Every structure is written in structure tokens, then in C-alpha cells.
Amino acid sequence: MPLDPSFVGRTYPPTAPYQVGREKIREFATAVGATDPAHHDPDAARALGHPDVVAPPTFPVVVTMAASQQIIEDPALGMDYSRVVHGDQRFAYARPVVAGDELVCVNTIEDINHRGGHDFLTTRTDVRTPAGEPVVTVWSKLVVRGEA
Amino acid sequence: MELPTKTFRVTRADLVRYAGASGDFNPIHWSDRFATKVGLPGVIAHGMFTMALVGRAVAEWAGAPDAVVDYGVRFTRPVVVPDDDAGTEIEVTARVKEVTGEGLTRLDITATCRGEKVLSQARAVIRTPR
């Protein structure tokens, strides 16, 4: 069944803060082969003006993917996640994510459309500190493949 | 202006490591049995892993790990990763589209695997290298 277009514009309650750990950033940077010292060594990051190690550009997905469960598991929306493929992804940064950050996600459904038998769901996640400082805005388009 | 091409080798071990680091344990990224069952040619790389490698290329071109201010892609084709030591290769090229007065540079990026485009509309905005 196609996703209900009346969900467009819906904003979900803020998620519990995600604690960005130094070792998590190091682990992620190592996994993607990002060897710049600023991802691993706090002193190298401080030399660039950051309080602690800097996350690689796509790191926020670790935070937003967990937060998006709110939408994926919304029984009222009724997504079949086993049929979902990732369509588009975009990050617009106010500043890089750094170790020690606490990040709160606010998910909004920006668009739903149905074409060629598939559903297309665009979400925007505003990632901020608990004090409301914007850090990064993340857009994802998920494609729910129709039944063949 | 074309930027120097960068090539990334991707093996199954890389996918396992990325799954652990990212928390994305979808079995299409590690199980041939599951991947073929859902109609894929085999185990495929996480789209976000490909995006991360391209992000690395962008940051390296920019010359700073914190230079990326906007970065978006469309996933057009899966990167199939064979279960051998050689894996597969992703080739990344980029072209400077515009340098703005605000100290920003816009890049158009192309990522291919076995000659086929795996990302489209891949664009990044970086702080202009000094």
C-alpha cells in the first residue's frame, strides 16, 4: 500500500541526546580509511581550532540512522523496511561534529511521492546540541520498492 | 579544472569493518545468501560507505579534514563486492564548478565502479583551499 501523503510536514519529537565519543570517531574514521590526524589525535584537531577529534563528513549518519527508527518504526506510517533502498543523501554542516558533542535529532518528513510502483520518502533531520546550536542538517531519500 | 583521480579498493573485510563502525548490519552487505534472495547480484557495499570514501577524496582535495560544508549524492547503482582478496575498485574524479567570493568551492563529482556510474548528482561545497 502506498505511504500516506498526509504525513508530509510531520515533525517528530526530539530524540534523546547522542553522546559522540572520541573512540567512536576514531573507529569510524579507521573504517573509512580517513587517516588525517585530526580524526584521531585531539592535539591535531585543536591545532585546527576544534575542541577534540573531528568526525569525517559522513559520520552524522551514525546518529541520524539511529534517530530515523522513529519514522521507520512509526506504525501509523507503515513502512516495510525490508523493501527499502537508499536513494539520496545530503549533509549541510554548520560545523563539523567533534568528540564530546551531544546531538539531538529532530526528524521531519519533507516529501512522500509514489511513482513507477515505488514510494519515495524524503526526510530532513535537524541535528543540534541540546542548547539548540545547529550542527548539521541531513536529508535522506528512501525508496520503498513496490511488490513485483 | 579537473582534480586528480583517486581510486579506492573495497573488499569484504572493509564492509564488515564499516558495518561495525556505522551500526548498519543489513545482511545485504555481508551475506551472499541474503543478497541474492532479495534480487541483488551479490553482496554490495553500503551506499554510505561509498559516500564516505568519496567524502575522503573531497577532504583530501580540499587539504583539510574539516573543509566540507555541504555534500550530497544520489545512489544510482550498487557496488558489488566479490568474496575474494581483490574486491573491487571505486574511481573518483571531480571538477571544480565554481569558486565563490565567500571562500567556497563547488565540486561536481563522478564515482564509477567497473566503468559504471555508482553515484549521480554528487556535489560538494568545500572551503576554498588556501
Side-chain angles (χ1 to χ4, degrees):
Chain A
M1 208 168 77
L3 294 176
D4 179 354
S6 75
F7 276 73
V8 174
R10 180 167 304 206
T11 295
Y12 288 79
T15 57
Y18 177 100
Q19 310 283 328
V20 180
R22 187 186 286 166
E23 299 303 341
K24 190 65 191 176
I25 287 181
R26 285 173 170 158
E27 179 192 16
F28 187 89
T30 300
V32 303
T35 54
D36 191 288
H39 300 308
H40 302 274
D41 173 5
D43 287 336
R46 281 177 204 127
L48 296 175
H50 301 291
D52 206 318
V53 295
V54 179
T58 61
F59 177 84
V61 77
V62 173
V63 183
T64 58
M65 210 176 63
S68 69
Q69 295 303 315
Q70 214 179 21
I71 297 173
I72 290 161
E73 292 172 0
D74 181 348
L77 181 64
M79 268 180 99
D80 176 358
Y81 196 65
S82 72
R83 310 193 74 82
V84 167
V85 292
H86 202 164
D88 293 30
Q89 182 73 29
R90 181 182 161 211
F91 302 89
Y93 310 89
R95 65 159 172 84
V97 171
V98 295
D101 272 337
E102 270 197 298
L103 300 176
V104 174
C105 296
V106 176
N107 287 312
T108 300
I109 296 182
E110 278 203 340
D111 191 41
I112 290 177
N113 63 68
H114 185 80
R115 50 172 204 277
H118 309 300
D119 279 320
F120 298 82
L121 173 84
T122 304
T123 61
R124 187 187 78 241
T125 308
D126 293 298
V127 183
R128 302 193 178 105
T129 66
E133 179 208 356
V135 177
V136 57
T137 306
V138 182
W139 288 267
S140 299
K141 184 183 277 183
L142 300 180
V143 184
V144 190
R145 290 179 299 162
E147 309 270 348
Chain B
M1 185 177 99
E2 290 280 336
L3 295 170
T5 301
K6 289 186 185 282
T7 304
F8 299 97
R9 179 159 296 284
V10 178
T11 65
R12 288 286 176 93
D14 295 317
L15 302 190
V16 172
R17 198 174 297 114
Y18 184 78
S22 69
D24 182 346
F25 296 104
N26 189 327
I28 61 175
H29 305 305
W30 50 266
S31 165
D32 281 296
R33 178 174 54 83
F34 191 91
T36 50
K37 199 174 79 186
V38 299
L40 292 165
V43 161
I44 64 168
H46 306 68
M48 287 307 304
F49 182 56
T50 302
M51 188 175 183
L53 295 177
V54 174
R56 236 178 86 190
V58 170
E60 285 167 21
W61 282 320
D66 55 355
V68 181
V69 299
D70 198 306
Y71 175 34
V73 305
R74 168 164 297 175
F75 303 104
T76 43
R77 219 180 242 104
V79 172
V80 179
V81 181
D83 186 14
D84 59 26
D85 296 334
T88 192
E89 271 185 356
I90 296 171
E91 201 172 81
V92 186
T93 62
R95 191 169 61 79
V96 173
K97 198 174 161 230
E98 189 192 1
V99 180
T100 71
E102 291 89 59
L104 300 176
T105 296
R106 291 172 191 282
L107 302 176
D108 279 347
I109 306 157
T110 305
T112 56
C113 179
R114 297 171 187 276
E116 294 199 296
K117 222 185 220 197
V118 292
L119 301 178
S120 69
Q121 299 180 31
R123 299 184 185 112
V125 178
I126 58 174
R127 282 191 278 107
T128 303
R130 271 174 249 188

